[in-house]
Amino acid sequence: MQRRGRTRTFTYGYGRTEDIAGVIIVTLIFVSACVAGYESVRKLIDPEPVRHLWWVAGAALIGFLGNEAVAWSRIRVGRQIDSAALVADGKHSLVDGFTSLAVLIGVIGVALGVPVLDPIVGLVITATVLFIVKDAARSVFRRLLDGIEPDILRQVEHAPLHVDGVRDVHEVRARWMGHRLHADLLITVAPHLSVSEAHHIVERVYQALTEHIRAFADATIHVCPAEATAGDD
C-alpha cells in the first residue's frame, strides 16, 4: 500500500499502514504467549502422554532452525530499512522458534522420564515471549504516536549546519511514516538574502538531510532571517 503513493485524500501517502501492521503483529505475539501459557498450565494440571517422540523431535528441530533463520533475516533487514513492523514480524518468528525449542526440550524430558519438563519449559518460553512483546510494542507504539529516536533527531538538527549560509537550526520536529522519515525545521539565514538565494540554501539543506540521514524521505524547511548586525552589510 505504501507504493501507491499520495492521493488527494491521503496526502502523506499510506505509510501508516506499516504502523497498523506492527500493531497486528504485536497483538499476535501476545496472543501466542497467552495460548502457550494456558496450554502449559493445563498440562501441569492434567498431564498428557506424548507419542511418536522422534517425529515430534524432528519437526521441533526443523521448526526451530527455520524460524530462527527467518527471524534474524527479517530483523536485520527491518533495521536496515528502519521498518518497525518488519522487526516486529521477525520477533514473531523468534517466538515461533522458541515454541519449537520448547517442544524439543519437552520431548527430551519425556524421553528421560521427566514429562513435567514439557509444561515447565512452556512456561519459561511464555515469560520470554512476554518480554519480546514488551520491546516490540514499545517500538511500534512509539512510531504510532509520532515518537522519534533522539539520535535521529540530533542528526536532523545537525545536518543543515554543514550548509554554508545556515546560521542556526531550531524548532526541529521529525516523525516516521512507515520506514521513511519526515521532518519540519526552521533555519536562520542572513537577513539581506534575496528569495532566490534563500531558496538555494533550502535546496542545499534538503540535500544535506538526504545525504546524512539514511531513512530520510521529505522535509518542510522554513527560512527565518537573522537579526541584522554590522557584519551583514
Side-chain angles (χ1 to χ4, degrees):
M1 290 195 66
Q2 291 186 64
R3 290 174 180 168
R4 294 178 62 182
R6 296 182 294 177
T7 68
R8 294 287 294 176
T9 301
F10 297 97
T11 55
Y12 284 95
Y14 292 84
R16 290 296 188 194
T17 56
E18 184 167 320
D19 298 325
I20 295 173
V23 172
I24 293 172
I25 292 167
V26 168
T27 302
L28 290 174
I29 299 175
F30 178 72
V31 171
S32 299
C34 292
V35 172
Y38 170 79
E39 290 294 330
S40 298
V41 172
R42 186 179 65 81
K43 287 187 177 183
L44 278 174
I45 298 173
D46 185 19
E48 297 177 0
V50 180
R51 301 181 178 87
H52 308 294
L53 294 183
W54 285 110
W55 285 104
V56 175
L61 181 60
I62 293 172
F64 172 71
L65 295 176
N67 278 299
E68 292 303 295
V70 170
W72 288 113
S73 175
R74 289 174 176 171
I75 291 172
R76 184 179 66 255
V77 173
R79 288 172 176 168
Q80 287 174 350
I81 67 173
D82 297 297
S83 171
L86 188 56
V87 171
D89 195 30
K91 291 181 177 180
H92 190 192
S93 295
L94 278 180
V95 170
D96 294 337
F98 289 150
T99 303
S100 297
L101 181 62
V103 173
L104 181 60
I105 295 175
V107 167
I108 294 173
V110 172
L112 294 176
V114 191
V116 73
L117 186 61
D118 183 25
I120 289 176
V121 169
L123 290 174
V124 173
I125 295 299
T126 298
T128 303
V129 171
L130 289 176
F131 279 106
I132 293 175
V133 169
K134 181 193 69 173
D135 293 338
R138 180 185 294 119
S139 176
V140 169
F141 282 98
R142 178 179 60 202
R143 293 197 177 192
L144 193 64
L145 297 175
D146 284 340
I148 190 71
E149 294 83 349
D151 287 343
I152 294 179
L153 186 63
R154 281 192 289 269
Q155 292 176 32
V156 176
E157 293 171 334
H158 181 71
L161 297 177
H162 291 277
V163 176
D164 291 337
V166 176
R167 296 189 175 184
D168 191 20
V169 181
H170 49 103
E171 294 190 30
V172 177
R173 293 178 292 177
R175 61 179 177 177
W176 291 100
M177 295 292 289
H179 54 271
R180 304 293 290 168
L181 189 73
H182 292 251
D184 293 274
L185 59 152
L186 277 69
I187 60 173
T188 301
V189 299
H192 66 271
L193 296 181
S194 66
V195 173
S196 178
E197 290 170 328
H199 179 71
H200 182 61
I201 290 176
V202 167
E203 289 181 330
R204 285 189 288 151
V205 168
Y206 193 96
Q207 184 63 33
L209 291 169
T210 303
E211 293 173 353
H212 288 82
I213 301 171
R214 181 183 60 198
F216 177 74
D218 198 8
T220 300
I221 304 170
H222 304 270
V223 178
C224 297
E227 293 185 3
T229 64
D232 292 324
D233 295 335

